[in-house]
Amino acid sequence: MEQTEGRPHYHPEQEEMPFAVVLGEPLATPPTDLYIPPDALEVFLDAFEGPLDLLLYLIRRQNLNILDIPIAEITDQYVQYIEMMNELRLELAAEYLVMAAMLAEIKSRMLLPKPVTEEEEGDDPRAELIRRLQEYERYKQAAEDLDGLQHMTRDTFQVHAELVDRHVEAREPDVVLREVLLALQDVLHRADMFTSHRVEKEALSVREKMSYVLQRVNAGEFIRFTDLFVISEGRLGLVVTFLAILELLKEALLELVQAEDFAPIHVKAKLS
Amino acid sequence: MPDEDRLKQIVEAALLAAGRPLALDQLQALFEVREQPEKKQLREALAMLSEAYQGRGIEVAEVGSGFRIQVRAEFTPWVSKLWAERPPKYSRALLETLALIAYRQPITRGEIEDIRGVSVSTNIVKTLTEREWVRVVGHRDVPGKPALYVTTKEFLDYFNLKGLNELPTLAEIRDLDSINRELELVDPETESQPKPASHESE
Amino acid sequence: MPDEDRLKQIVEAALLAAGRPLALDQLQALFEVREQPEKKQLREALAMLSEAYQGRGIEVAEVGSGFRIQVRAEFTPWVSKLWAERPPKYSRALLETLALIAYRQPITRGEIEDIRGVSVSTNIVKTLTEREWVRVVGHRDVPGKPALYVTTKEFLDYFNLKGLNELPTLAEIRDLDSINRELELVDPETESQPKPASHESE
């Protein structure tokens, strides 16, 4: 993201961007002789997110491949920056000093004549540093990518329409059938009804039909017995209806009336 | 000046983003001075917007402090649920009563009490009746003329049953395992009951 | 069940009234149980809505915690004039820390510091936590029990992401072997160096 406003955000690849502003004068690049006006140093340091960031800058500024750092040169530059900041008594995070020490060590190892023999041979002291630089750089990039995503309240906004007359209605409890059945199981345990002869496969459709018949035969009115049967329900349906009527008779909820032999049977509710 | 279409889009975006009524001069102020639309043009844009909202969930309204976009009143019943409180739970006693009415209907309150071994509060019966899950189908012709309760079509609808015979038989309720199996067969829907909107867990 | 048109209107009204993203089950919960639409139908309604918003000031977006209606980015220059204050800018330190948590979660503060080569200020962690972009998901079982940070749905919402897999791809990193090959070297061991935290690329 080439976001430039109001941020001490340093972009190595964008040389024309003021690198620092000193006494009102924009400073496009840090002087190559490393001279930085003291006032700018603090700004300069602020622009970096730690020693890895500073090192990356030193490398990128010279268009160098990260995998091929001229360690001596970079170390010298780095150490000079650090010393200068030390002299100016700028508060310097300890990490910068640790890095300086590490660089100095790598440099000294690089300067040593390569041992002719054994294991030491394969060991480039720069490898670990390179790995860390790469690792840091990818997240530095990821942070910029993140900033480049659409931000809420910066690039887009959640919208909202008014709900006039909004009333919070009390919700009715939700019930899962399972809860009802578990409750029933409890009752059954308590009532010890499992042995009841009423426990039959057909029981529920008969019960349902009983309710249906009761609703049909509203109190007081006679209704033809045959009208209670729904032919389209088929043989099983007829049987269930018949059982329901018998059950209702047994429970004294229905009354059957036949005026004479072979006359139509009428049904009356014994409800009140 | 942005063209008509663009003006309409900007006005829409601004009214919806603001979340409060905007007066015409507040709308004007969104534009650079030299491309500022006249109030007449803004009114036209608002009228176009209003027309575009025909048959939609929202509408443009002019209120004291300007214009705003609001939910059409007819959708309030659904939208209000966004702020609904978490529903209370029914008591065990209520669920037992409901189950007994479902399985033993038509049944009187006294019969329920006989089976449960405790009295059934008037409140429970009232709640179940108000919820339209049970109703009185008549009165048993015995002293006291107790009401006979049955379950309703709403009861079946709520629990997603075609008929009472889709309920597990009493024999099957004997052990929990069979309930679970039965429920997977009969009732895959009701397990995922609506969660109240405002209480999403992480 | 409400018909297609009505479903679309209700979804629109709800998303606009909510002023926050709504997940599909939150939308389902707006309906009575027996008229609840299926998620598939809701998705269809959302797609229709999205289409209806072509050439309009707003759009439907799917983000971490659901669907929301938002201003089309092209209208931001006008809409942002509604607010006097400018949107917050985030420091590089904060963004780098956030990026590390997003890409490497769950991660401890120490691990972030190892990669960034600099300490992470308490303020940054506090800001990220207060914005609800990151949260502690547990503690690593090592001395000091450092907190493990992960990103949240709110993080996804803020950055307009449906999920972490929509994050920009992380730059390639060459592993030590290939670095060493480049350097014409064989052995990657560097025992004389300060041991870095073990953060090989995944």
Side-chain angles (χ1 to χ4, degrees):
Chain A
M1 273 307 289
E2 303 305 306
Q3 194 80 35
T4 55
E5 288 173 313
R7 202 189 314 201
H9 194 155
Y10 186 68
H11 294 271
E13 57 285 333
Q14 219 183 339
E15 292 297 330
E16 66 287 350
M17 192 188 79
F19 158 82
V21 178
V22 181
L23 304 171
E25 292 278 350
L27 209 61
T29 49
T32 40
D33 60 0
L34 283 184
Y35 173 75
I36 298 177
D39 295 353
L41 255 176
E42 201 154 5
V43 179
F44 179 79
L45 189 60
D46 273 352
F48 293 104
E49 288 297 324
L52 288 170
D53 199 23
L54 174 55
L55 262 184
L56 266 182
Y57 158 71
L58 293 174
I59 293 162
R60 293 299 186 204
R61 186 180 63 159
Q62 295 168 61
N63 276 324
L64 294 173
N65 186 343
I66 209 171
L67 295 175
D68 193 21
I69 323 171
I71 204 80
E73 208 177 311
I74 293 294
T75 304
D76 290 346
Q77 289 187 10
Y78 183 92
V79 170
Q80 284 179 61
Y81 274 116
I82 299 306
E83 279 174 355
M84 198 157 39
M85 291 190 243
N86 259 342
E87 276 163 32
L88 291 166
R89 304 223 172 106
L90 292 177
E91 205 176 310
L92 198 59
E95 293 95 345
Y96 284 91
L97 301 175
V98 172
M99 178 61 77
M102 182 169 119
L103 285 170
E105 204 226 318
I106 297 174
K107 182 180 160 192
S108 67
R109 288 179 60 196
M110 300 283 291
L111 290 176
L112 288 175
K114 273 195 176 170
V116 200
T117 53
E118 71 242 56
E119 292 113 66
E120 275 294 303
E121 191 181 13
D123 185 2
D124 187 316
R126 294 175 303 175
E128 182 52 28
L129 178 64
I130 290 168
R131 194 195 65 76
R132 290 188 61 190
L133 280 169
Q134 274 195 310
E135 182 82 338
Y136 171 67
E137 193 178 34
R138 71 198 301 222
Y139 290 106
K140 181 183 164 174
Q141 182 60 48
E144 286 178 23
D145 291 345
L146 206 55
D147 203 28
L149 294 174
Q150 229 182 41
H151 288 222
M152 289 310 283
T153 74
R154 186 188 75 183
D155 307 307
T156 182
F157 305 88
Q158 166 87 54
V159 297
H160 178 251
E162 193 63 33
L163 180 62
V164 191
D165 194 22
R166 132 183 167 190
H167 43 83
V168 179
E169 44 180 293
R171 274 178 68 111
E172 297 191 287
D174 298 318
V175 181
V176 184
L177 184 54
R178 190 184 138 77
E179 294 175 59
V180 181
L181 298 178
L182 286 174
L184 181 62
Q185 192 190 36
D186 270 8
V187 192
L188 294 180
H189 276 305
R190 288 208 309 271
D192 197 26
M193 281 173 46
F194 283 133
T195 52
S196 163
H197 67 281
R198 294 177 196 241
V199 180
E200 285 158 24
K201 193 95 179 102
E202 245 30 86
L204 277 171
S205 41
V206 173
R207 287 278 157 196
E208 188 166 37
K209 193 56 90 178
M210 284 165 70
S211 295
Y212 166 78
V213 170
L214 279 184
Q215 282 163 49
R216 288 286 311 274
V217 294
N218 266 327
E221 294 274 326
F222 279 96
I223 187 168
R224 282 159 73 106
F225 178 68
T226 47
D227 286 353
L228 291 173
F229 294 87
V230 182
I231 303 300
S232 61
E233 287 179 350
R235 186 187 293 252
L236 187 63
L238 299 181
V239 171
V240 167
T241 306
F242 189 64
L243 288 175
I245 293 170
L246 291 182
E247 186 67 29
L248 287 168
L249 285 171
K250 199 176 99 191
E251 290 193 25
L253 291 167
L254 276 192
E255 209 174 331
L256 289 189
V257 181
Q258 192 176 29
E260 55 190 87
D261 285 355
F262 306 113
I265 301 172
H266 282 89
V267 182
K268 185 186 175 231
K270 258 182 91 174
L271 307 166
S272 48
Chain B
M1 243 275 308
D3 67 29
E4 241 184 23
D5 251 13
R6 200 147 180 84
L7 189 59
K8 189 179 75 177
Q9 291 160 347
I10 294 171
V11 166
E12 175 177 51
L15 283 181
L16 282 170
R20 61 184 154 92
L22 294 178
L24 290 178
D25 43 9
Q26 286 173 305
L27 285 169
Q28 275 180 317
L30 302 178
F31 299 84
E32 300 295 337
V33 176
R34 72 198 130 100
E35 59 170 25
Q36 233 166 47
E38 288 165 33
K39 292 198 173 166
K40 186 166 148 288
Q41 290 168 306
L42 285 171
R43 277 198 182 276
E44 276 163 16
L46 284 160
M48 280 165 61
L49 210 53
S50 197
E51 203 164 308
Y53 287 169
Q54 291 302 323
R56 298 275 306 280
I58 48 176
E59 63 189 355
V60 180
E62 189 172 358
V63 292
S65 47
F67 294 85
R68 77 167 168 221
I69 295 174
Q70 62 189 32
V71 171
R72 279 183 197 277
E74 58 183 303
F75 299 109
T76 307
W78 288 274
V79 176
S80 290
K81 294 237 170 68
L82 285 172
W83 294 278
E85 283 149 26
R86 186 186 267 291
K89 292 221 95 185
Y90 282 139
S91 67
R92 194 70 173 189
L94 181 138
L95 295 176
E96 286 181 10
T97 305
L98 178 61
L100 283 170
I101 296 175
Y103 276 82
R104 303 300 293 266
Q105 59 189 287
I107 191 171
T108 66
R109 195 159 134 186
E111 287 158 358
I112 297 170
E113 290 175 343
D114 284 345
I115 300 172
R116 289 193 57 229
V118 284
S119 68
V120 172
S121 87
T122 312
N123 259 339
I124 285 178
V125 179
K126 195 166 150 246
T127 305
L128 288 172
T129 313
E130 278 173 0
R131 188 96 197 232
E132 297 189 326
W133 285 350
V134 312
R135 65 190 192 85
V136 174
V137 76
H139 296 264
R140 209 184 272 287
D141 196 14
V142 295
K145 308 270 184 216
L148 281 163
Y149 293 95
V150 294
T151 54
T152 61
K153 199 174 159 307
E154 285 72 23
F155 167 82
L156 294 176
D157 287 347
Y158 183 89
F159 290 105
N160 225 338
L161 301 166
K162 276 203 276 294
L164 286 177
N165 55 334
E166 285 193 352
L167 285 173
T169 64
L170 290 186
E172 283 167 326
I173 285 177
R174 215 181 287 239
D175 70 297
L176 191 66
D177 288 347
S178 91
I179 290 183
N180 287 330
R181 229 175 303 123
E182 190 73 22
L183 281 173
E184 268 156 29
L185 293 172
V186 174
D187 196 31
E189 302 276 293
T190 32
E191 277 297 320
S192 57
Q193 283 293 311
K195 263 177 279 169
S198 48
H199 295 276
E200 267 305 275
S201 53
E202 265 296 301
Chain C
M1 242 274 313
D3 66 29
E4 241 185 23
D5 250 14
R6 196 145 181 86
L7 189 59
K8 190 179 78 176
Q9 292 161 345
I10 294 173
V11 166
E12 176 178 49
L15 284 181
L16 283 170
R20 62 186 154 90
L22 294 178
L24 289 179
D25 43 7
Q26 289 174 308
L27 285 170
Q28 273 181 317
L30 302 179
F31 298 85
E32 299 296 337
V33 175
R34 71 194 121 113
E35 60 168 24
Q36 230 167 52
E38 286 166 34
K39 294 200 172 163
K40 189 169 146 281
Q41 291 169 305
L42 285 171
R43 279 197 181 276
E44 277 162 16
L46 285 159
M48 279 165 61
L49 209 54
S50 196
E51 206 164 301
Y53 287 169
Q54 290 302 323
R56 298 275 304 279
I58 50 177
E59 63 187 356
V60 179
E62 188 177 357
V63 292
S65 44
F67 293 85
R68 76 167 162 229
I69 298 176
Q70 62 189 32
V71 171
R72 277 185 197 278
E74 56 184 302
F75 299 108
T76 300
W78 290 274
V79 174
S80 54
K81 293 233 173 69
L82 286 170
W83 297 280
E85 74 228 61
R86 305 184 52 183
K89 283 235 164 88
Y90 297 101
S91 69
R92 267 182 63 199
L94 181 137
L95 288 167
E96 285 181 11
T97 306
L98 182 58
L100 276 161
I101 297 174
Y103 284 89
R104 300 292 292 263
Q105 58 190 295
I107 191 171
T108 66
R109 193 156 144 184
E111 288 159 357
I112 297 169
E113 292 176 342
D114 283 343
I115 296 174
R116 294 192 59 231
V118 72
S119 68
V120 172
S121 89
T122 309
N123 259 339
I124 285 180
V125 179
K126 201 167 143 239
T127 305
L128 290 174
T129 313
E130 278 172 0
R131 294 227 56 167
E132 297 188 327
W133 287 349
V134 312
R135 63 190 186 86
V136 174
V137 76
H139 296 264
R140 207 182 271 294
D141 195 14
V142 294
K145 306 267 181 223
L148 282 165
Y149 291 94
V150 294
T151 54
T152 60
K153 273 190 195 164
E154 286 73 19
F155 162 79
L156 296 174
D157 291 349
Y158 184 88
F159 288 100
N160 263 280
L161 301 166
K162 247 186 288 211
L164 288 175
N165 55 337
E166 285 196 341
L167 281 171
T169 321
L170 209 48
E172 281 284 317
I173 194 166
R174 332 253 312 248
D175 60 24
L176 280 183
D177 283 349
S178 93
I179 295 171
N180 278 315
R181 237 176 284 123
E182 188 94 12
L183 298 170
E184 291 176 322
L185 291 169
V186 196
D187 184 4
E189 273 308 308
T190 50
E191 58 277 57
S192 58
Q193 304 260 329
K195 201 69 187 163
S198 51
H199 285 118
E200 290 310 315
S201 55
E202 306 88 335

